[in-house]
PDB file of all heavy atoms in Angstrom:
ATOM      1  N   SER A 197     105.504 115.113 114.567  1.00 91.00           N
ATOM      2  CA  SER A 197     106.084 113.768 114.582  1.00 91.00           C
ATOM      3  C   SER A 197     105.532 112.921 113.443  1.00 91.00           C
ATOM      4  O   SER A 197     106.269 112.185 112.763  1.00 91.00           O
ATOM      5  CB  SER A 197     105.799 113.096 115.925  1.00 91.00           C
ATOM      6  OG  SER A 197     106.286 111.772 115.938  1.00 91.00           O
ATOM      7  N   VAL A 198     104.220 113.042 113.227  1.00 92.00           N
ATOM      8  CA  VAL A 198     103.611 112.303 112.112  1.00 92.00           C
ATOM      9  C   VAL A 198     104.179 112.767 110.775  1.00 92.00           C
ATOM     10  O   VAL A 198     104.442 111.974 109.874  1.00 92.00           O
ATOM     11  CB  VAL A 198     102.082 112.462 112.150  1.00 92.00           C
ATOM     12  CG1 VAL A 198     101.445 111.894 110.876  1.00 92.00           C
ATOM     13  CG2 VAL A 198     101.503 111.768 113.371  1.00 92.00           C
ATOM     14  N   ARG A 199     104.390 114.088 110.635  1.00 91.00           N
ATOM     15  CA  ARG A 199     104.934 114.626 109.396  1.00 91.00           C
ATOM     16  C   ARG A 199     106.324 114.045 109.111  1.00 91.00           C
ATOM     17  O   ARG A 199     106.630 113.646 107.988  1.00 91.00           O
ATOM     18  CB  ARG A 199     104.996 116.147 109.478  1.00 91.00           C
ATOM     19  CG  ARG A 199     105.504 116.782 108.192  1.00 91.00           C
ATOM     20  CD  ARG A 199     105.679 118.276 108.315  1.00 91.00           C
ATOM     21  NE  ARG A 199     104.405 118.968 108.450  1.00 91.00           N
ATOM     22  CZ  ARG A 199     103.945 119.511 109.558  1.00 91.00           C
ATOM     23  NH1 ARG A 199     104.664 119.424 110.694  1.00 91.00           N
ATOM     24  NH2 ARG A 199     102.794 120.145 109.591  1.00 91.00           N
ATOM     25  N   VAL A 200     107.165 114.009 110.151  1.00 92.00           N
ATOM     26  CA  VAL A 200     108.510 113.445 109.974  1.00 92.00           C
ATOM     27  C   VAL A 200     108.435 111.957 109.629  1.00 92.00           C
ATOM     28  O   VAL A 200     109.156 111.458 108.759  1.00 92.00           O
ATOM     29  CB  VAL A 200     109.349 113.674 111.252  1.00 92.00           C
ATOM     30  CG1 VAL A 200     110.686 112.953 111.146  1.00 92.00           C
ATOM     31  CG2 VAL A 200     109.567 115.163 111.479  1.00 92.00           C
ATOM     32  N   THR A 201     107.532 111.267 110.318  1.00 92.00           N
ATOM     33  CA  THR A 201     107.382 109.829 110.052  1.00 92.00           C
ATOM     34  C   THR A 201     106.944 109.572 108.616  1.00 92.00           C
ATOM     35  O   THR A 201     107.465 108.674 107.933  1.00 92.00           O
ATOM     36  CB  THR A 201     106.361 109.214 111.027  1.00 92.00           C
ATOM     37  OG1 THR A 201     106.807 109.434 112.371  1.00 92.00           O
ATOM     38  CG2 THR A 201     106.207 107.725 110.786  1.00 92.00           C
ATOM     39  N   LEU A 202     105.978 110.364 108.157  1.00 92.00           N
ATOM     40  CA  LEU A 202     105.515 110.191 106.779  1.00 92.00           C
ATOM     41  C   LEU A 202     106.598 110.573 105.775  1.00 92.00           C
ATOM     42  O   LEU A 202     106.731 109.947 104.719  1.00 92.00           O
ATOM     43  CB  LEU A 202     104.263 111.032 106.538  1.00 92.00           C
ATOM     44  CG  LEU A 202     102.994 110.582 107.268  1.00 92.00           C
ATOM     45  CD1 LEU A 202     101.858 111.558 107.013  1.00 92.00           C
ATOM     46  CD2 LEU A 202     102.594 109.181 106.833  1.00 92.00           C
ATOM     47  N   LEU A 203     107.371 111.599 106.111  1.00 92.00           N
ATOM     48  CA  LEU A 203     108.424 112.035 105.210  1.00 92.00           C
ATOM     49  C   LEU A 203     109.447 110.929 104.978  1.00 92.00           C
ATOM     50  O   LEU A 203     109.992 110.783 103.884  1.00 92.00           O
ATOM     51  CB  LEU A 203     109.104 113.286 105.773  1.00 92.00           C
ATOM     52  CG  LEU A 203     110.106 113.991 104.853  1.00 92.00           C
ATOM     53  CD1 LEU A 203     109.403 114.504 103.612  1.00 92.00           C
ATOM     54  CD2 LEU A 203     110.807 115.115 105.595  1.00 92.00           C
ATOM     55  N   VAL A 204     109.706 110.151 106.009  1.00 92.00           N
ATOM     56  CA  VAL A 204     110.652 109.037 105.885  1.00 92.00           C
ATOM     57  C   VAL A 204     109.940 107.754 105.452  1.00 92.00           C
ATOM     58  O   VAL A 204     110.467 106.970 104.665  1.00 92.00           O
ATOM     59  CB  VAL A 204     111.392 108.816 107.221  1.00 92.00           C
ATOM     60  CG1 VAL A 204     112.330 107.621 107.120  1.00 92.00           C
ATOM     61  CG2 VAL A 204     112.168 110.064 107.616  1.00 92.00           C
ATOM     62  N   GLY A 205     108.736 107.545 105.976  1.00 93.00           N
ATOM     63  CA  GLY A 205     108.063 106.276 105.751  1.00 93.00           C
ATOM     64  C   GLY A 205     107.486 106.106 104.367  1.00 93.00           C
ATOM     65  O   GLY A 205     107.495 104.993 103.818  1.00 93.00           O
ATOM     66  N   VAL A 206     106.979 107.196 103.777  1.00 93.00           N
ATOM     67  CA  VAL A 206     106.362 107.077 102.445  1.00 93.00           C
ATOM     68  C   VAL A 206     107.352 106.554 101.409  1.00 93.00           C
ATOM     69  O   VAL A 206     107.044 105.607 100.676  1.00 93.00           O
ATOM     70  CB  VAL A 206     105.740 108.425 102.022  1.00 93.00           C
ATOM     71  CG1 VAL A 206     105.420 108.424 100.526  1.00 93.00           C
ATOM     72  CG2 VAL A 206     104.475 108.690 102.822  1.00 93.00           C
ATOM     73  N   PRO A 207     108.565 107.118 101.272  1.00 93.00           N
ATOM     74  CA  PRO A 207     109.519 106.543 100.302  1.00 93.00           C
ATOM     75  C   PRO A 207     109.885 105.095 100.625  1.00 93.00           C
ATOM     76  O   PRO A 207     110.051 104.277  99.703  1.00 93.00           O
ATOM     77  CB  PRO A 207     110.735 107.468 100.413  1.00 93.00           C
ATOM     78  CG  PRO A 207     110.207 108.740 100.955  1.00 93.00           C
ATOM     79  CD  PRO A 207     109.116 108.350 101.881  1.00 93.00           C
ATOM     80  N   VAL A 208     109.999 104.771 101.926  1.00 94.00           N
ATOM     81  CA  VAL A 208     110.347 103.401 102.291  1.00 94.00           C
ATOM     82  C   VAL A 208     109.228 102.442 101.892  1.00 94.00           C
ATOM     83  O   VAL A 208     109.481 101.362 101.329  1.00 94.00           O
ATOM     84  CB  VAL A 208     110.629 103.314 103.802  1.00 94.00           C
ATOM     85  CG1 VAL A 208     110.816 101.858 104.221  1.00 94.00           C
ATOM     86  CG2 VAL A 208     111.864 104.125 104.160  1.00 94.00           C
TER      87      VAL A 208
END
Side-chain angles (χ1 to χ4, degrees):
S197 177
V198 171
R199 182 185 292 107
V200 173
T201 302
L202 291 176
L203 188 63
V204 177
V206 166
V208 173

